[in-house]
Amino acid sequence: MRSTPSKGVSDSGIKRQKKKSVACRRCHTHKIKCSGGQPCVKCRQLGCPTECTYVNRDRQVKVHESYLEQLAAENERLREQLSQSPALSTPGSQKNQETTTSDSDRHVQNPMLGEKAWFQPYDPSAPPIYIGEAACTAFATRLRQVLSRDKKTSHMTRTQYTDDTTLMKLRSQIPQWPSLAQARLLIQVVFNQVSRVYHLVLRKSTMEELEDTYRRGNFEDPILTCKFFALFALGEVYSARTNTEMECGVPGAAFYVHAMMLIPILPERPSLAHIESLLLLSLYSYFLNRRHSAFFLVGSAMRVALTLGLHHDIPECQCNDPVDRQHRIRLWWAIYVYDRMYGSKAGWPIQLSDDDIHVEMPSTVPGPIHDEEFSDTDFLVASIDLARITGQAIEKLYSRKRHPDSFLQREQKLLIALKQWSQSLPHHIRLNQDGSLPKNVISLHLQFNQCIMLATRPILLYRLMQSREPSNEDDKDTTDASSQALKTLSDACIHAARHTHSLIVDEWINGTLPIFGYFYAHYLFSSALIMVISSQLHSENYNDFTLFETAFEILRAMSNHGNLAASEFYDNLECVQKCLNQKHGSSNRHSLSNHVDYRQSDPHLTEYARSVPVPGLVARGASVEGASGHHPPLPEPTAPGNLTDEMDFLGASMEEFLAQPDVDFGPLDPSGEPINVADAMYSWPNFSLWTA
């Protein structure tokens, strides 16, 4: 039984542990009892509530010494990480730390994406221009940064386009309507070159409108004039073989400028003819290499189409003419294809989600009227499906959205969709058919190859960066699955580029390649960049550099004839060529003018690879005079009739990758550590390439 004294001691201890109140400064100075509060009772009674302040107490707290040692060690580790990270050791490190992607998110993001969007150098007199990562010119800059090991390598400013001043000079030169015979020829050229690929106008109705306009002499109608002048512009540029003597240098520019002047800026009650003109002018803008203008025009066409409800099915009772209904449907899908296609070329996001589209797919109108007014329905449906996959590639691989699945999982889904698309093609729009191929079929498969390259070339460039680092044998067992997946995707990219190169070279040899065409030049440029990486990545692919040289020569020829887009792409390839020369330490190696065999000095190639002759190249130190010609000979193109489905080339490797239920190998760098190229400047995806 406890005694009373012990209980008293316990109560005394409790009273001593009770927290004492703190007096305000004034009460403490006068040594009077303070009631607490703000202000206290005394200060309030004396009329000086503002003087009622309290002393900040800094109490001493007893902690274990081991806890203090743990805090000190953690602080030291944080300091070491800050000193080793270039992104966090610079001014504004707190902001960089917040935007840096965590290790757990590395496998989710496209390795090409930097922290911020890419802009050209800022000029106070003009706003900066956005550079999309999906653009081939942006990829060329990425490649130059890797080859030169210089993160300060900036994006090339685009100057090879028809500027506003040149077009304004054409405003005073109002073109005359051509003769009826010439007008018929120009429009037939458009039907043959464009209408097979995109539905922009009704063919029979357009020709009837043309005949009626000339018969009545109705040349003052601004709507008809705008539409026909846009058609004349496209007809001239597609049928021209050399550049004109006009100041602009691009055939059809005078028609284009006058048609642009006739378009109402903000039509309150638009018509389908207005949309037709916008789409025609948007397409022609690419021949002037004015892709921003093309983007503006197709954006206007989409908004006009939204006001007319083209993205919805119109009730049959309100539009019972099957031709008019089908024309509305196909015009909408032409806008859709333009939007996705333009985004894939320049890296812009899609303007309208698939979830907001509620219109049926194109169909065939019963009777002979269909062939008179419309192009092949199966081809158009295949083109729309491919455009949808292309838009998904932009959204899933080149946007900074948060995705629940990994980057490789999204790659797998896209390639599965592309394979299903390829296997579902009707026979008449496949490549493995006898006889010559229509141009629209070739164009469709070029876009298919471009979609494969768009999806897989970040992996290819990533592997090129990996190859420049010493391998770690300790991680070999843990990275086999990841390495095989990356190799499979890289091989897919290389195969698509070779296939594109073969198709375009075949068109060039046959004389059917449009001299002023933008898209053929773009596809050739895109494949040439892949050929450079392939020749640097694999010693057995040394012949791919010859394909690069061939593409270089074709683009130079197109540029000399006045193709502005080809001039831009040629200049980009020339800069890539200079980086290769610098890499091998001599201006003679990898030279397009001398064709010196750089393989003799490349330490990454085997003796066998160095000894195999390459057409058009001579050994370093040998006489160039003995080489066959000034330019490399064109390689034998693969006949399009012998080509098989594009996704069958990898066989078991691709099938195994596409069949895996969970393609999640963690970060693209399996070790989880940055790839330390040139003092960790290439630590993807966290380093920024946006400082031009």
Side-chain angles (χ1 to χ4, degrees), residues 162 237 243-244 246-254 284 287-288 516 562 564:
T162 306
V237 77
N243 58 336
T244 64
M246 297 176 55
E247 184 175 2
C248 176
V250 180
Y284 183 86
F287 289 91
L288 301 174
F516 292 92
L564 297 173

Side-chain angles (χ1 to χ4, degrees), residues 145 148-155 681-682 688-689 691-692:
Q145 288 173 331
S148 63
R149 293 175 177 260
D150 184 6
K151 64 179 180 180
K152 295 182 180 180
T153 301
S154 62
H155 186 76
M681 61 174 288
Y682 294 117
S688 176
L689 290 180
T691 54

Side-chain angles (χ1 to χ4, degrees), residues 335-466:
I335 297 172
Y336 180 90
V337 171
Y338 271 25
D339 178 50
R340 268 58 177 177
M341 180 180 64
Y342 289 3
S344 68
K345 303 295 185 293
W348 294 311
I350 59 177
Q351 300 184 67
L352 191 68
S353 171
D354 290 336
D355 297 333
D356 296 323
I357 300 174
H358 309 283
V359 62
E360 63 183 13
M361 295 291 281
S363 59
T364 301
V365 177
I369 188 64
H370 178 87
D371 294 335
E372 296 175 350
E373 297 281 18
F374 303 105
S375 58
D376 181 33
T377 301
D378 291 335
F379 176 88
L380 193 55
V381 171
S383 178
I384 295 168
D385 290 337
L386 183 58
R388 180 178 292 111
I389 300 173
T390 304
Q392 293 173 357
I394 297 295
E395 186 176 9
K396 293 182 178 181
L397 302 182
Y398 290 91
S399 69
R400 291 177 172 80
K401 297 179 181 179
R402 290 283 183 174
H403 296 279
D405 46 1
S406 70
F407 183 75
L408 288 181
Q409 286 173 336
R410 302 198 299 276
E411 290 269 5
Q412 184 193 48
K413 292 177 182 178
L414 286 171
L415 289 174
I416 289 175
L418 287 169
K419 179 182 178 181
Q420 293 173 347
W421 178 90
S422 177
Q423 293 177 340
S424 64
L425 287 178
H427 177 76
H428 67 282
I429 53 178
R430 290 177 178 267
L431 289 179
N432 52 347
Q433 55 180 289
D434 298 331
S436 60
L437 290 170
K439 189 172 292 293
N440 63 322
V441 174
I442 295 176
S443 175
L444 183 68
H445 287 272
L446 288 174
Q447 179 62 28
F448 172 77
N449 290 337
Q450 181 65 22
C451 192
I452 296 178
M453 289 187 281
L454 188 70
T456 56
R457 68 187 182 189
I459 301 297
L460 183 66
L461 188 57
Y462 179 84
R463 289 194 67 216
L464 178 63
M465 295 173 58
Q466 278 189 322

Side-chain angles (χ1 to χ4, degrees), residues 97-107 109 402 667 685-686:
Q97 184 175 3
E98 292 174 355
T99 58
T100 300
T101 307
S102 61
D103 290 342
S104 61
D105 292 336
R106 286 183 183 176
H107 69 295
Q109 197 172 8
R402 290 283 183 174
N686 296 325

